[in-house]
Amino acid sequence: MKHYSAFAIAREALRGHTGWERAWRKATPKKKYDVVIVGAGGHGLATAYYLGKNHGIKNVAIIEKGWLGGGNTGRNTTIIRSNYLQDPSAAIYEKARSLYETLSQDLNYNIMFSPRGVLMLAQTEHEARGYKRTAHANALQGVDTEFVSPERVKELCPIIELSGPRYPVLGALWQARAGTARHDAVAWGYARACSDMGMDIIQKCEVTGVRSDNGQVSGVETSQGSIDCDKLCIVVAGHSGHLAEMAGFRLPVESVALQAMVSEPIKPCMDVVVMANTVHGYMSQSDKGEMVIGGGADGYNNYTQRGSFHHIEETVRALIETFPMISRLKMLRQWGGIVDMTGDRSPIISTTPLGNCFINCGWGTGGFKAIPGSGWATAEMVAKGEPGPLAAEFGLNRFREGRFIDESVAAGVAH
Amino acid sequence: MLILSCPYCGVAADETELHPGGEGHLVRHGPGSSDDEFESYLFLRRNPRGVHVERWRHVHGCGKWFHAARDTMTMEVIGTYPAQVSEPPSEILNALGARSA
Ligand SMILES: Cc1cc2nc3c(=O)[nH]c(=O)nc-3n(C[C@H](O)[C@H](O)[C@H](O)COP(=O)(O)OP(=O)(O)OC[C@H]3O[C@@H](n4cnc5c(N)ncnc54)[C@H](O)[C@@H]3O)c2cc1C
Ligand SMILES: [Zn+2]
């Protein structure tokens, strides 16, 4: 793999950009791999990357039914933060956030991590109390957050309306080291690094069946033929229920559509991310100047990648209350992704009833921020056969044992 | 906009008039049940790509719970029927059979 650098750009500028290579190889399936990962989203690719980098396992295939990063990884609003309430969440989200800080250097690929800070507005007394509690919990967990006053909110984000018609801003939970990154670049950067380690990324290849032998996984059936493997890791977000059915078990997961939209580009007007969970909407500004807007998820199962129209209406209403200056903005694009919701709004990183078959899912509306930490923890589990400290609490058994990791408050609005 | 006909009052209701209630016909387990049964009842879901039989409530109408059979891939509504049954009525089962045939 050729190294990307300022020098490389200068060299290619002088020779008409004829020397760039493909970022990753096109691969056709081999007969057998040590590990097969289903789903080339951020979590699948990061799992593969850390399997190679941290555990030396490189005979790996990542199988993707569409194109890599074409699932939720390429559809999200890119918020990265780690201000969750429970200890296991703080550990894995903070691990991810800190890995994001140096990910561009690690991958030699600019993922445009922008630690611009995230404000989560408190707009009811209850919410203010909740965020103060989170700030205290974060202090104990070593995650840097603070509860700030309305005046400070206005300083950080001058376009905000503090005394809106329904819910005045009473303060906010502020995480200065939180921010955004370029979602596609995260997938592409990991893909390039995986391909460079000799792993096969097989696109347009749908897994249609899981084969097993005496309760142990032995391979998968795909639209490009049958592939054997010693270990299988399912990382397919909204499609987890479908893959679990192939592998012979059920999950505590339901799939719904979550939507986002972007406006026409305007001049820079906001250099932080603002989430308004009570009115249900959030917004940031992309480097191109578009306002990136996200809102509610559908209340009922579906796989349509579209979502209900009334959610757009509700989200826009919430944001116009919060930022009156956007009321005349035109929206350019709207889209949906199929998110995998668990009852406690926490993910699943787990062994499964099928031997040597592992699963990473349940990130729901908020897994982009977790990609590096989740890949790190999942790779450790796949390599060692059992979860390490980062993943241990996120096992499937927590539901039957009543050990929920309740993040319904921290998850707040679907982000 | 998803539109479901309420089997009680006959109104073709927009989804904003309704409240979704999740998978239908779950077998309810109580005291004396095993951990497996509780887990299955409380948490595990079919989450199918295809026909989902689910519960809805006509909240901004007659206020009653009912069932719907709906395709989660196409959003096609196969039919709706009252809440007081433990499995879909025959006309819904026939419609489902005709689809898979
Ligand atoms: C609108 C929206 C906004 C969001 N905003 C945020 C945010 O601001 N911050 C945040 O942290 N998170 C956010 N999220 C959540 C985040 O996008 C996801 O949690 C995360 O991207 C999940 O990554 P993944 O790799 O698990 O799944 P995906 O990226 O969905 O990858 C799964 C892959 O599996 C493939 N696949 C499925 N079935 C098969 C099969 N049978 N065979 C082969 N391949 C298969 C799919 O094609 C897909 O590419 C948002 C999500 C949405 C939809
Ligand atoms: Zn009715």
Side-chain angles (χ1 to χ4, degrees):
Chain A
M1 176 175 83
K2 286 196 184 141
H3 197 74
Y4 290 155
S5 64
F7 172 73
I9 294 175
R11 185 190 60 214
E12 292 306 325
L14 291 176
R15 58 177 189 188
H17 295 284
T18 50
W20 298 115
E21 316 174 314
R22 283 186 174 276
W24 52 84
R25 281 174 298 110
K26 193 170 157 61
T28 41
K30 288 194 290 199
K31 179 89 195 64
K32 174 165 191 279
Y33 295 90
D34 294 345
V35 178
V36 163
I37 293 172
V38 190
H43 290 263
L45 290 163
T47 299
Y49 175 70
Y50 295 111
L51 267 177
K53 184 177 168 180
N54 295 354
H55 304 281
I57 300 173
K58 297 181 181 171
N59 183 17
V60 174
I62 306 125
I63 302 180
E64 167 57 51
K65 73 170 175 175
W67 64 95
L68 73 88
N72 294 345
T73 299
R75 293 166 183 269
N76 71 83
T77 46
T78 78
I79 299 175
I80 295 169
R81 59 185 179 87
S82 58
N83 52 357
Y84 283 69
L85 180 63
Q86 312 291 349
D87 293 349
S89 329
I92 195 162
Y93 287 107
E94 177 64 7
K95 172 79 181 170
R97 195 204 54 75
S98 65
L99 285 170
Y100 263 126
E101 286 188 332
T102 51
L103 196 59
S104 294
Q105 290 79 358
D106 187 25
L107 298 177
N108 177 234
Y109 200 97
N110 187 3
I111 59 139
M112 296 167 72
F113 180 57
S114 160
R116 59 184 66 185
V118 172
L119 278 170
M120 292 172 78
L121 303 183
Q123 292 178 284
T124 62
E125 287 296 342
H126 177 78
E127 210 179 7
R129 270 201 303 276
Y131 286 151
K132 284 179 193 164
R133 178 182 175 209
T134 304
H136 291 309
N138 290 163
L140 293 172
Q141 293 150 347
V143 176
D144 222 357
T145 63
E146 60 178 313
F147 189 81
V148 297
S149 68
E151 295 71 38
R152 179 82 179 118
V153 170
K154 188 77 182 169
E155 244 170 64
L156 287 163
C157 185
I159 65 169
I160 214 164
E161 167 66 55
L162 290 180
S163 44
R166 289 190 296 167
Y167 297 102
V169 174
L170 306 174
L173 184 64
W174 168 238
Q175 185 175 19
R177 288 164 177 249
T180 60
R182 168 103 199 264
H183 50 13
D184 299 320
V186 171
W188 296 339
Y190 276 122
R192 175 168 169 266
C194 288
S195 176
D196 186 48
M197 286 191 275
M199 298 179 178
D200 285 346
I201 303 167
I202 304 160
Q203 303 185 71
K204 293 192 193 151
C205 180
E206 178 166 2
V207 170
T208 52
V210 173
R211 269 187 291 114
S212 63
D213 201 5
N214 272 332
Q216 300 287 315
V217 77
S218 58
V220 288
E221 302 301 335
T222 78
S223 54
Q224 295 187 27
S226 162
I227 304 173
D228 294 342
C229 63
D230 292 336
K231 293 180 179 178
L232 179 69
C233 189
I234 299 171
V235 199
V236 294
H239 299 277
S240 298
H242 190 56
L243 265 291
E245 195 184 333
M246 294 178 199
F249 54 95
R250 277 192 304 164
L251 290 171
V253 167
E254 294 194 85
S255 299
V256 303
L258 173 67
Q259 299 177 71
M261 59 200 136
V262 293
S263 74
E264 57 190 331
I266 54 174
K267 289 195 172 158
C269 64
M270 157 178 204
D271 61 1
V272 294
V273 181
V274 175
M275 308 179 61
N277 295 341
T278 293
V279 293
H280 228 93
Y282 60 90
M283 187 164 90
S284 64
Q285 190 168 21
S286 76
D287 294 346
K288 284 185 281 182
E290 302 156 326
M291 305 313 287
V292 181
I293 291 173
D298 286 347
Y300 50 86
N301 302 42
N302 71 83
Y303 290 88
T304 58
Q305 284 193 341
R306 199 167 51 220
S308 295
F309 179 72
H310 68 96
H311 286 301
I312 304 181
E313 214 171 2
E314 283 157 17
T315 302
V316 168
R317 183 170 63 211
L319 289 173
I320 289 175
E321 267 179 57
T322 320
F323 309 98
M325 67 157 268
I326 67 164
S327 65
R328 294 188 191 181
L329 268 190
K330 293 189 185 71
M331 292 299 145
L332 281 192
R333 294 189 301 281
Q334 167 276 347
W335 64 91
I338 302 304
V339 296
D340 38 342
M341 310 295 281
T342 59
D344 60 0
R345 298 293 180 264
S346 286
I348 293 164
I349 304 176
S350 187
T351 55
T352 71
L354 180 60
N356 280 330
C357 173
F358 304 88
I359 193 158
N360 172 322
C361 68
W363 293 98
T365 62
F368 175 71
K369 62 177 70 65
I371 285 171
S374 156
W376 185 285
T378 309
E380 182 177 7
M381 171 178 70
V382 173
K384 297 184 179 162
E386 58 184 14
L390 270 182
E393 302 287 329
F394 293 102
L396 265 174
N397 276 346
R398 74 172 187 272
F399 295 94
R400 80 185 271 133
E401 292 167 5
R403 290 182 292 102
F404 309 118
I405 306 170
D406 184 359
E407 291 293 1
S408 45
V409 175
V413 71
H415 49 280
Chain B
M1 181 80 70
L2 177 65
I3 298 171
L4 298 175
S5 317
C6 173
Y8 303 104
C9 59
V11 168
D14 285 354
E15 61 179 286
T16 48
E17 212 174 302
L18 302 164
H19 189 79
E23 187 173 326
H25 306 305
L26 291 174
V27 179
R28 187 167 186 156
H29 289 281
S33 302
S34 69
D35 285 355
D36 279 346
E37 286 166 336
F38 266 121
E39 184 187 26
S40 166
Y41 164 50
L42 290 171
F43 303 112
L44 302 183
R45 295 292 177 262
R46 284 187 57 232
N47 195 22
R49 292 207 297 189
V51 179
H52 191 233
V53 177
E54 57 199 12
R55 284 156 34 94
W56 287 85
R57 186 171 170 232
H58 193 186
V59 259
H60 300 299
C62 65
K64 290 183 182 156
W65 284 98
F66 63 92
H67 284 111
R70 179 180 57 87
D71 190 314
T72 60
M73 302 290 278
T74 61
M75 299 296 274
E76 181 190 351
V77 179
I78 291 101
T80 57
Y81 55 94
Q84 295 78 5
V85 289
S86 54
E87 63 168 42
S90 54
E91 64 271 21
I92 301 275
L93 290 174
N94 291 342
L96 295 183
R99 282 166 57 96
S100 55

